Amino acid sequence: MNVLVLGATGYIGSVLAERLAEHGHDVVALVRPKPREAALPGEVRHGDLNEPETLAKAVTSDIDVVVHAANPVGDEAVDVAAIEALAGGGARLVYVSGVWVLGATTEAADEDAPVNPIALSGYRPRVERLVLDGGGIVVRPGVVYGRGVGIPALLAAPDGEDGRYVHAGGPAPTWATVHVDDLADLIVLAIEKAAPGNLFHAVAEEAVSVADVAAAAGRSGKAVPWPIGEASEVLGRPFAEGLALSQVVSGDLARKNLGWNPSRPGLVDDVRSGSYAAR
């Protein structure tokens, strides 16, 4: 299939482009006119989320699937217009969202769980519904890690002595997580096998203690709390709230319906002795 990928130069999109090519699909990367340097397999087209007409122009009749793996703009009207433009060309749309739309959870939340988004994901449930009602597919990743980058790279304190985790005065949160390569595998399976209107959680580990991750990251083996107020000054309040969010999320549906089998190292192992330890 010909697959148009938005965000093909980003963390998730670049790995997805690799995996699609490995599976014999033709990747068409949709990037802004001046993308950062990146090695992109296949064809490159130009478009901008802020200019829906450029997106519509990129979705030509030869495109079978569009994967929206780019970061949202942060303006609901703009992001909705982008979805409408991408869906208008007749190709199947796969939208990469995130489990933060669920808010805090204490039991394993599945795809039927009610949404309660944090500020950073405020209108994403409405974008998801637009995609699903149009026959598209939504994939909600947990906290994405792997290849030595992503959120876990933020855990190391600047002095390099101790691990660091974000919390809001209570116990350390738990994160639902997925390795970036396992996420790419799931998106490819969704493209190849999922029925229209399906929603899947891309979660390999339902609840990983951030204290355990931080301890694995710290050379002294200790985790130093990073109060959310201090973290907000560095990362911005919405993102800090995301890191402080405690969740338990199930990824069983993708395993059952698509045969997804996440196999990469867990987050703690990857931080302790994998791609992050090599940094």
Side-chain angles (χ1 to χ4, degrees):
M1 286 184 279
N2 292 330
V3 184
L4 184 72
V5 179
L6 284 76
T9 60
Y11 182 33
I12 295 171
S14 60
V15 178
L16 173 61
E18 291 177 13
R19 193 69 78 255
L20 286 166
E22 291 170 1
H23 280 248
H25 300 294
D26 293 320
V27 177
V28 180
L30 182 61
V31 298
R32 284 178 293 183
K34 295 183 179 179
R36 65 177 180 271
E37 292 297 322
L40 296 172
E43 182 185 349
V44 174
R45 297 182 186 179
H46 292 147
D48 192 313
L49 288 174
N50 290 287
E51 301 173 3
E53 67 278 4
T54 66
L55 306 180
K57 184 178 179 180
V59 187
T60 51
S61 60
D62 60 319
I63 298 297
D64 301 298
V65 178
V66 176
V67 180
H68 187 334
N71 291 326
V73 170
D75 181 307
E76 182 174 0
V78 173
D79 283 321
V80 166
I83 291 295
E84 291 173 341
L86 293 169
R92 187 149 44 104
L93 179 60
V94 179
Y95 178 66
V96 181
S97 183
V99 297
W100 286 354
V101 301
L102 298 169
T105 63
T106 57
E107 297 182 357
D110 63 16
E111 287 78 359
D112 291 326
V115 295
N116 183 26
I118 62 173
L120 192 64
S121 303
Y123 60 82
R124 269 201 165 187
R126 294 190 290 276
V127 176
E128 290 182 353
R129 179 46 51 194
L130 180 64
V131 173
L132 295 171
D133 287 348
I137 297 162
V138 172
V139 176
R140 289 179 182 159
V143 171
V144 184
Y145 68 93
R147 302 198 181 198
V149 293
I151 286 176
L154 301 173
L155 291 174
D159 59 15
E161 290 298 322
D162 298 304
R164 176 174 276 186
Y165 65 91
V166 181
H167 73 103
T174 60
W175 289 347
T177 64
V178 64
H179 192 286
V180 66
D181 284 278
D182 287 324
L183 171 57
D185 288 342
L186 175 51
I187 296 172
V188 172
L189 284 169
I191 289 170
E192 296 175 342
K193 299 174 64 174
N198 274 200
L199 163 67
F200 297 100
H201 289 165
V203 172
E205 294 180 293
E206 292 186 351
V208 178
S209 168
V210 176
D212 291 345
V213 178
R219 285 198 283 266
S220 68
K222 296 189 303 180
V224 177
W226 197 10
I228 194 167
E230 178 187 337
S232 296
E233 295 177 2
V234 178
L235 305 172
R237 183 78 184 189
F239 187 52
E241 288 178 349
L243 297 185
L245 184 65
S246 194
Q247 292 188 303
V248 185
V249 181
S250 171
D252 288 347
L253 186 66
R255 292 172 170 85
K256 178 181 177 181
N257 287 14
L258 300 179
W260 183 49
N261 182 30
S263 59
R264 276 71 176 189
L267 176 54
V268 170
D269 287 342
D270 203 11
V271 168
R272 179 186 295 117
S273 57
S275 63
Y276 298 94
R279 284 171 58 86

